[in-house]
Amino acid sequence: MKRTLPFWLRPFFMANVGIRFVAVCLPLTLGAAVLQTQTMSKKETMPLERIRNFSIVAHIDHGKSTLADRLIQHCGGLTEREMSEQVLDSMEIEKERGITIKAQTVRLDYKAEDGQAYQLNLIDTPGHVDFSYEVSRSLSACEGSLLVVDASQGVEAQTLANVYKAMENDHEIVSVLNKIDLPAAEPERVRQQIEDVIGLDASDAIPASAKTGEGIVEILEAIVTRLPPPEGVADVPLKAMLVDSWYDPYLGVVVLVRVMEGFLKKGQRIRLVSTEADYPVDRVGIFRPKQELTDILGPGEIGFFTAGIKQVADTRVGDTVTDEKNPCVKPLDGFEPSQPVVFCGLFPVDSSEFENLRDAMGKLRLNDASFDFEMESSAALGFGFRCGFLGLLHMEIIRERLEREFDIDLITTAPSVVYHIYMTDGSKQDLHNPADMPDVMKIERIEEPWIEATILVPDEYLGSVLKLCQDRRGVQKDLTYAGSRAMVVYMLPLNEVVFDFYDRLKSITRGYASFDYEITGYKAERLVKMSVLVNGEPVDALSMVVHSDRAEQRGRVMCEKLKDLIPRHLFKIPIQAAIGGKIIARETIAAMRKDVTAKCYGGDISRKRKLLEKQKAGKKKMRQFGRVEIPQKAFIAALKMDEN
């Protein structure tokens, strides 16, 4: 039997259910609101004075990445199980070579000795001269720097270069004497060296060992007490600086930003000022160093966002990110785009790999906007690409990544620099490839790039270094001493440096010299194009631009090397170096001789002579139509200039 409520009780029952419903749902709603308020208030309660943005600058192999590991470990960014050596160096090639190529960022939460919680944003920067562009843009996102100096090796060339960049960005600098656990460490000597060479007060430099963890707490305390907090206003339109970008196959372009003013929120429509492109923000987050999503980034904070951007080329470093509907009044100054300084040709050993090489370069370009390439063809090597790089290490790393990650065997042509050619008709050309040199009669003058090189070297090797610089057309600018180390400043043509200057410098100083340079400008010189002819055919891959005073010496060395590197053929092969129509050097590879008279046992001499004449005619014909095979190693070995 179905039971029903009397009609006079129904209103009370409905009211009771309503009360229960409100009683249950109201706390949930209020709880969610409170939770949201807590999240927002948590966001708002980290005041600017408790945020620190800093980078680590140092010479190569002075312990930047290891120190970053210890800071992450101490602040609990990763568990013991997740930690690995050089945790911020994500590329395999970075771990193998022990160098940092891409600047990486991480947010750390630190509770100071005064009981206050601080937010530390760390950017680990590269140390090599080729990646100084990465360093400069990372420094502009920070207010302070840790200057790390090896307590056994002391101040090196890149230490100077990077600390001066930090000073240009008005950074407060905390000096750290790393590797004090080494038996050869001399902290007091290095402390004095920092004061003498750099001009910084090093009396409060912190002795530390990133390997053992000694001094890490003192470094963290110095960061929160001695480095300044960022400046910024919250209640104004969004203004953020684009620090870096890279390609993710699932998310598209990931953009790293430093928020200067206002807020960057998920769901907001943003505008990139330089390209005037608008995008909706999909994700906002930070690195700890693992990705962690958050809804909002406020003034002074460093984080990332994704917005369905398809190409890294659309996100220019130094660009201003602002709100689409309410843009900022004045955008940030930004950076000059990085300019390639070294060019070379990359050709596949197997010509059928050309399309694979094109795809591989396109993929590498997604994550390295400074890598430039365009298609070119060579009579000797077939189809390939003319590529631009920031320096020799950059070139070596790109080539190694292409060979390792995409399994393509490559031939690399002679590295060259960009020349300015002024024509007699008043026009100007940029020459990237020596094979494209215009007719000499139409050229008024050729200018080449010059650099200011800083070399720090122990006193006993100074004479050898000065001779090397003089041999490379260098002009001495300065020579000073810091203890037993000499600091030499030379003006050098970049063309003389890109071949093997660094290898020679390390060789004659047994690895103790350090080298840094910056391009100062262009200067007119007596430069000529030297061509190499093998069997009368010019090999464009071996063409180079040289100074007229050194052309003959370079030509002789090149011909002698090729004579040893090219295998003998059945016909005689002349190897010549030429400037225009003038041959300046020549070597001849003798023909392989086959004994055609072996089957003649005695008999008339005229029969042997007849066979030899027939062989001679065949060799002449073969030399006329024969093709000389130049092995891959010949191209690479021929371009290494020995000092003899």
Side-chain angles (χ1 to χ4, degrees):
M1 183 177 169
K2 192 174 179 183
R3 300 181 66 181
T4 56
L5 280 171
F7 71 92
W8 53 273
L9 277 176
R10 285 177 192 169
F12 294 101
F13 178 77
M14 293 303 292
N16 192 20
V17 170
I19 290 165
R20 283 184 188 177
F21 179 77
V22 171
V24 170
C25 294
L26 189 60
L28 289 175
T29 312
L30 289 171
V34 168
L35 188 65
Q36 189 176 7
T37 309
Q38 283 176 349
T39 309
M40 292 301 290
S41 63
K42 186 182 177 184
K43 203 45 138 168
E44 289 161 6
T45 52
M46 180 59 80
L48 278 171
E49 58 268 18
R50 294 220 299 275
I51 297 176
R52 298 289 183 274
N53 297 321
F54 68 99
S55 61
I56 305 178
V57 294
H59 187 75
I60 311 152
D61 203 30
H62 277 205
K64 296 182 299 298
S65 298
T66 311
L67 179 60
D69 289 353
R70 294 291 81 76
L71 294 174
I72 292 167
Q73 199 171 8
H74 189 275
C75 295
L78 291 172
T79 62
E80 289 287 338
R81 191 174 168 188
E82 292 170 322
M83 280 301 297
S84 64
E85 286 190 22
Q86 278 83 46
V87 72
L88 293 183
D89 292 344
S90 52
M91 282 193 272
E92 187 184 334
I93 196 166
E94 288 182 311
K95 289 185 186 290
E96 271 186 24
R97 287 172 172 256
I99 58 173
T100 301
I101 296 168
K102 289 288 287 181
Q104 301 287 346
T105 181
V106 60
R107 178 186 288 190
L108 305 171
D109 294 324
Y110 175 63
K111 192 165 186 181
E113 290 178 353
D114 60 3
Q116 298 278 10
Y118 287 87
Q119 182 193 114
L120 311 181
N121 293 306
L122 152 68
I123 298 183
D124 180 26
T125 58
H128 198 278
V129 61
D130 283 11
F131 306 111
S132 55
Y133 186 69
E134 290 269 337
V135 177
S136 61
R137 70 196 194 188
S138 302
L139 293 176
S140 59
C142 304
E143 286 77 34
S145 292
L146 292 183
L147 170 64
V148 179
V149 183
D150 189 324
S152 59
Q153 293 182 7
V155 174
E156 302 277 10
Q158 274 301 114
T159 314
L160 285 173
N162 289 338
V163 78
Y164 288 154
K165 282 194 184 79
M167 288 174 175
E168 284 168 18
N169 284 281
D170 298 325
H171 276 205
E172 191 68 37
I173 294 166
V174 173
S175 302
V176 176
L177 306 177
N178 195 21
K179 304 189 183 182
I180 58 164
D181 57 315
L182 294 179
E186 299 177 81
E188 291 310 313
R189 177 183 67 82
V190 174
R191 202 188 293 267
Q192 189 61 43
Q193 205 177 43
I194 291 172
E195 293 187 357
D196 294 345
V197 179
I198 301 174
L200 282 175
D201 179 17
S203 58
D204 53 0
I206 302 165
S209 169
K211 189 175 179 182
T212 63
E214 185 180 347
I216 297 299
V217 175
E218 289 81 356
I219 292 170
L220 286 164
E221 283 299 314
I223 289 167
V224 299
T225 55
R226 286 159 58 182
L227 296 187
E231 295 176 359
V233 186
D235 53 354
V236 293
L238 168 67
K239 184 196 284 186
M241 182 175 70
L242 200 157
V243 180
D244 198 5
S245 60
W246 59 93
Y247 186 79
D248 185 287
Y250 301 104
L251 304 171
V253 177
V254 181
V255 181
L256 185 70
V257 289
R258 153 74 196 271
V259 179
M260 299 295 186
E261 296 174 347
F263 287 98
L264 176 67
K265 305 171 189 172
K266 182 182 175 181
Q268 181 180 10
R269 281 195 70 85
I270 52 106
R271 171 171 292 172
L272 302 180
V273 171
S274 67
T275 58
E276 296 187 349
D278 302 332
Y279 302 96
V281 176
D282 302 329
R283 294 153 55 101
V284 176
I286 55 171
F287 293 102
R288 286 188 182 275
K290 293 185 293 186
Q291 281 191 17
E292 186 177 299
L293 294 182
T294 173
D295 290 333
I296 190 167
L297 286 174
E301 294 189 318
I302 297 174
F304 72 90
F305 72 86
T306 61
I309 305 170
K310 300 290 188 293
Q311 295 183 9
V312 173
D314 297 336
T315 53
R316 297 176 188 169
V317 170
D319 196 0
T320 305
V321 181
T322 188
D323 191 80
E324 180 201 7
K325 292 177 182 171
N326 188 16
C328 58
V329 179
K330 186 186 174 191
L332 299 162
D333 294 337
F335 300 106
E336 287 294 315
S338 62
Q339 296 294 332
V341 293
V342 176
F343 287 81
C344 80
L346 292 179
F347 295 84
V349 173
D350 182 355
S351 56
S352 64
E353 292 274 345
F354 174 73
E355 285 301 326
N356 293 343
L357 179 60
R358 189 206 296 271
D359 294 343
M361 286 188 162
K363 286 174 182 171
L364 275 189
R365 178 81 188 276
L366 287 173
N367 279 328
D368 190 351
S370 57
F371 170 48
D372 228 4
F373 65 91
E374 60 182 30
M375 189 180 155
E376 74 166 355
S377 62
S378 158
L381 302 172
F383 289 104
F385 294 93
R386 192 81 190 160
C387 305
F389 307 95
L390 299 176
L392 284 180
L393 180 69
H394 189 210
M395 180 182 92
E396 198 178 323
I397 282 164
I398 291 287
R399 197 188 77 214
E400 194 169 327
R401 287 186 69 189
L402 285 168
E403 289 182 341
R404 180 183 298 186
E405 295 175 24
F406 302 98
D407 198 23
I408 300 171
D409 290 327
L410 296 170
I411 295 172
T412 311
T413 65
S416 68
V417 297
V418 184
Y419 297 94
H420 290 171
I421 299 183
Y422 292 86
M423 313 298 284
T424 51
D425 62 0
S427 62
K428 176 193 163 191
Q429 291 183 17
D430 284 351
L431 180 72
H432 295 184
N433 188 350
D436 299 333
M437 174 89 81
D439 184 4
V440 181
M441 301 303 292
K442 296 178 181 176
I443 297 174
E444 183 188 321
R445 71 180 190 276
I446 304 173
E447 292 184 350
E448 65 177 340
W450 279 65
I451 62 168
E452 183 177 289
T454 305
I455 302 168
L456 272 91
V457 60
D459 195 25
E460 61 264 34
Y461 304 113
L462 179 61
S464 304
V465 170
L466 294 177
K467 183 180 182 302
L468 174 66
C469 293
Q470 293 289 348
D471 289 345
R472 299 299 174 97
R473 298 192 280 134
V475 179
Q476 188 174 320
K477 193 177 173 186
D478 194 15
L479 173 59
T480 53
Y481 277 87
S484 62
R485 291 167 68 84
M487 186 170 85
V488 191
V489 180
Y490 254 89
M491 301 301 293
L492 285 161
L494 184 59
N495 184 30
E496 299 285 348
V497 173
V498 297
F499 275 99
D500 59 347
F501 180 86
Y502 194 64
D503 292 344
R504 290 289 310 156
L505 181 67
K506 287 293 182 187
S507 174
I508 62 177
T509 61
R510 298 185 184 177
Y512 284 108
S514 64
F515 171 68
D516 174 61
Y517 69 85
E518 63 174 327
I519 294 176
T520 56
Y522 278 74
K523 205 159 82 173
E525 292 287 344
R526 290 182 294 116
L527 301 168
V528 291
K529 174 191 169 185
M530 188 183 81
S531 305
V532 175
L533 290 82
V534 177
N535 198 27
E537 292 287 329
V539 182
D540 51 359
L542 294 174
S543 299
M544 61 177 71
V545 176
V546 293
H547 196 273
S548 58
D549 294 348
R550 294 167 183 273
E552 192 175 327
Q553 179 203 357
R554 279 272 171 96
R556 285 185 189 283
V557 172
M558 185 71 82
C559 290
E560 285 169 12
K561 286 207 161 196
L562 286 172
K563 183 185 176 184
D564 297 332
L565 293 164
I566 296 174
R568 290 169 68 186
H569 289 54
L570 291 170
F571 52 93
K572 194 162 56 175
I573 305 170
I575 300 169
Q576 300 161 308
I579 297 173
K582 182 185 175 186
I583 303 297
I584 57 170
R586 172 177 171 140
E587 293 287 338
T588 305
I589 301 173
M592 289 170 68
R593 183 180 173 86
K594 180 183 176 185
D595 190 0
V596 291
T597 61
K599 59 187 177 183
C600 298
Y601 296 101
D604 188 5
I605 188 68
S606 61
R607 189 178 170 208
K608 290 185 180 179
R609 193 173 290 126
K610 189 178 176 182
L611 285 167
L612 290 168
E613 288 295 331
K614 189 178 177 183
Q615 184 190 39
K616 187 177 176 183
K619 283 185 182 272
K620 186 178 179 183
K621 186 179 179 182
M622 198 184 292
R623 184 181 163 193
Q624 189 177 352
F625 299 107
R627 180 179 169 82
V628 180
E629 292 293 335
I630 304 177
Q632 178 195 355
K633 65 177 184 180
F635 285 98
I636 299 159
L639 300 167
K640 292 263 185 187
M641 290 290 163
D642 289 330
E643 300 294 325
N644 48 22

